[in-house]
Amino acid sequence: RKSRYIPKISADTIIAKVATKFNVTEESILKPIRGRRKKNIPRLVAMYACQEVGGYRLVEIAKLFGLARYATVSTNISRLKILIEEDDKIGGKVKEILCV
């Protein structure tokens, strides 16, 4: 049986808020960049926010962000949680975004 779950907040709204907070374009959040040494923090935050406040499933987030595997979303969210613990500035921005 398929679930007919409707997200609390649209992914577009979440991505726009993340882009504004981090002063980047929405396109830079949606576009995957492989082999980049510096992590695309706004992209990770957007994935996390889609899960936390949007209620999106990992499969949906992976599709939205152009990822082949949903496990990559889980890995990215785990990385972000570590970054939040290490960097109060990132943690503060994430808290502001999650209070949509």
Side-chain angles (χ1 to χ4, degrees):
R1 194 191 317 176
K2 282 192 174 185
S3 172
R4 290 196 156 272
Y5 177 77
I6 299 171
K8 299 176 198 170
I9 299 171
S10 76
D12 291 339
T13 301
I14 292 167
I15 292 166
K17 186 164 186 174
V18 172
T20 300
K21 184 57 75 181
F22 282 90
N23 197 29
V24 298
T25 65
E26 293 177 30
E27 292 79 22
S28 71
I29 291 173
L30 291 171
K31 184 177 180 184
I33 300 173
R34 293 179 56 106
R36 190 174 185 179
R37 285 189 183 264
K38 187 176 179 183
K39 293 180 180 30
N40 186 344
I41 305 287
R43 181 175 168 85
L44 301 180
V45 172
M47 287 181 192
Y48 180 61
C50 281
Q51 183 182 44
E52 290 297 310
V53 296
Y56 289 89
R57 296 176 299 148
L58 295 177
V59 172
E60 296 166 327
I61 297 168
K63 185 175 180 180
L64 179 67
F65 286 87
L67 299 170
R69 288 173 262 173
Y70 69 88
T72 305
V73 176
S74 180
T75 301
N76 286 337
I77 290 172
S78 295
R79 286 182 188 152
L80 177 67
K81 288 178 180 179
I82 292 168
L83 290 172
I84 290 170
E85 291 178 13
E86 295 174 350
D87 189 334
D88 291 336
K89 188 175 178 181
I90 294 172
K93 286 184 179 184
V94 170
K95 283 181 183 176
E96 290 175 23
I97 291 164
L98 294 181
C99 294
V100 184

